[in-house]
Amino acid sequence: PVAFDHGGELFVRGKTLPAKLDLPVVGQYMLQSSDGRSFKIRPPVKIPEYNPASTLHKILRDLSIQAHKYHDDTERMKEIDIKLDEAYLAIL
């Protein structure tokens, strides 16, 4: 879950980008790296510090806004999820 201020800017806690935890590629990793009964409290997922000047972070922000807007549109979400995964993996 990602919160936004009134201007649509990403609200960031602790200067990290929480949207990365909602990405399909991260969810797949979490499922494949656990026994299916329990999950780590602090998942070993790389979450770099949010940089508002970063083009990739802006892309993730904008895609996250779209995902919240179109969460009920299955076909559109497939496209958004692919782009989210690609942007996150590019940051690594």
Side-chain angles (χ1 to χ4, degrees):
V2 179
F4 302 93
D5 69 15
H6 297 290
E9 287 297 312
L10 181 64
F11 173 73
V12 182
R13 290 186 193 160
K15 296 186 180 180
T16 61
L17 189 60
K20 291 180 188 143
L21 294 175
D22 292 337
L23 299 176
V25 70
V26 174
Q28 290 170 0
Y29 169 75
M30 298 282 291
L31 289 172
Q32 292 175 357
S33 65
S34 76
D35 62 7
R37 295 175 288 151
S38 62
F39 299 93
K40 296 177 181 177
I41 293 173
R42 292 188 178 96
V45 177
K46 183 176 180 180
I47 305 176
E49 185 172 322
Y50 179 69
N51 178 358
S54 166
T55 301
L56 287 172
H57 284 190
K58 288 178 184 178
I59 290 170
L60 281 170
R61 178 200 62 204
D62 294 345
L63 288 168
S64 182
I65 291 169
Q66 288 181 33
H68 280 81
K69 184 176 180 178
Y70 300 110
H71 69 276
D72 288 332
D73 185 337
T74 306
E75 290 305 310
R76 195 161 200 170
M77 281 306 303
K78 286 179 186 177
E79 296 170 16
I80 293 170
D81 283 343
I82 289 169
K83 292 177 183 177
L84 281 166
D85 285 347
E86 289 172 351
Y88 173 67
L89 293 172
I91 288 174
L92 303 179

